[in-house]
Structure formats: C-alpha cells, structure tokens
Amino acid sequence: IKATVVGDADKELGCFEERQIDLIHAWREVNYKLWQHGVELSVRKQYVNEVKGILLRLKNSLEKPDLKSRIKKAEKALNEFAEEMEEKGHWRISRFFKRHTKSILLFAYKKLEGISIPWHNNWMERLMGEIAKRMKNKWMSWSARGARNLLNLLLKRYAEKGRYESFIGKLV
C-alpha cells in the first residue's frame, strides 16, 4: 500500500510501503523482549534508557544542519546495541533492530527530504481511546452509521482543526 503509517512493530502493518515505528513502542519492545529473555528489571531499565537516549537525541536533532551524520551515528549506535544483545544471547532484540532500524529512523530520513512525519502515534491512540470511551460500557448501542459519524467528527477535530472549529461554530 502506498502510504506511510506510524504504529508499532506489528507484522500486519508490514504491507505498507513505508512504516515509522513509534519510538515509544520501540523502547517498549526492548523491555518486553528482554523480559522474554528473563533479564531482571534493573538491567532492562538500563538497556531501555540506552535505546531511549539514542532515539531521543536523534529526534531532538531534526533541525540541525548535520542531520545526515546524526542519523548515521544513531544507526551505528543501534547496530552496535543489536550486536551487544546478540552476544549476550538476547537474539529477539537483535533480530528486532536488524529488521526494523530503517522503520524506527524513518522520521529522520524523511526530514532529510523535507518531509515531516510524526515519530509517535500518541494522538491516534488518544483518539481511539476517546472512541472506545464513548462507545463501550455506556449501556448504549450505536449504529454503524452513527459510529462512522462520530469517528469522522473526532478525526476532523484532530486532523483538521480549522474545518472542525468552523463546522462547530456553524452548528452551535
């Protein structure tokens, strides 16, 4: 599919041409995979903080003139981290970074092309939470049409604030 999607590392999202893995999901993935390997919490936190540091430094460098070299530096640091994890027997993390480093750093590569894409999907997750809150556990039933209308209204509020405010102004 010709689109750039921002989300987690779910295999089902692999059908998109370009995919930005949410940085928050990336370091959560590190924590989860280390837990799968039986690594204790204090050590997991150290590794998660190492990955966070690499990624947040790059995120905070998007307006720097030497962005290209900063991307290479982050890529090298993630590759070294993956190698260290492999040497310690934490193959799940190593495999994750070998497969997904380009998708984790896509926001920075796109910035080199003058294109800004989000490095996280928090606003979409908040939107989904709002929809769930309005539609579930309220002893209400929603028609498919009503649910679509609610979703469209909330999407406009998040994605097209000007049009949403104009619409609400006319409605009220």
Side-chain angles (χ1 to χ4, degrees), residues 41-126:
L41 180 60
S42 61
V43 176
R44 290 196 322 255
K45 283 182 178 181
Q46 290 173 354
Y47 287 133
V48 167
N49 285 334
E50 183 179 341
V51 171
K52 267 187 190 180
I54 294 165
L55 297 176
L56 292 178
R57 269 191 302 281
L58 181 59
K59 178 200 75 83
N60 292 331
S61 300
L62 292 179
E63 301 303 324
K64 304 284 184 186
D66 61 339
L67 178 59
K68 191 172 187 173
S69 68
R70 290 172 183 256
I71 293 170
K72 294 295 177 202
K73 186 176 178 181
E75 200 170 80
K76 181 180 181 213
L78 290 176
N79 287 334
E80 288 171 356
F81 179 78
E83 287 174 23
E84 178 186 348
M85 293 295 101
E86 182 133 357
E87 288 170 8
K88 292 185 176 193
H90 307 317
W91 57 269
R92 288 179 176 98
I93 298 170
S94 178
R95 184 175 65 184
F96 173 76
F97 281 106
K98 286 177 182 176
R99 288 182 178 172
H100 299 296
T101 296
K102 295 286 185 198
S103 294
I104 294 169
L105 303 179
L106 183 65
F107 74 101
Y109 286 113
K110 285 297 190 182
K111 189 68 175 180
L112 287 175
E113 299 172 24
I115 300 168
S116 293
I117 62 171
W119 56 272
H120 62 80
N121 65 348
N122 291 352
W123 71 274
M124 184 54 76
E125 287 183 356
R126 278 193 297 276

Side-chain angles (χ1 to χ4, degrees), residues 149-162:
N149 289 341
L150 174 62
L151 178 60
N152 284 329
L153 187 62
L154 293 173
L155 278 171
K156 285 226 183 299
R157 187 177 84 198
Y158 280 94
E160 300 176 8
K161 280 189 182 205

Side-chain angles (χ1 to χ4, degrees), residues 5-37:
V5 66
V6 180
D8 59 17
D10 192 345
K11 290 177 186 173
E12 292 175 11
L13 294 176
C15 65
F16 290 93
E17 189 174 293
E18 292 184 316
R19 175 168 140 196
Q20 170 62 51
I21 293 180
D22 181 321
L23 299 189
I24 297 164
H25 285 268
W27 59 71
R28 282 184 185 162
E29 198 75 20
V30 170
N31 186 49
Y32 178 69
K33 290 182 183 319
L34 284 169
W35 172 81
Q36 286 179 311
H37 284 292

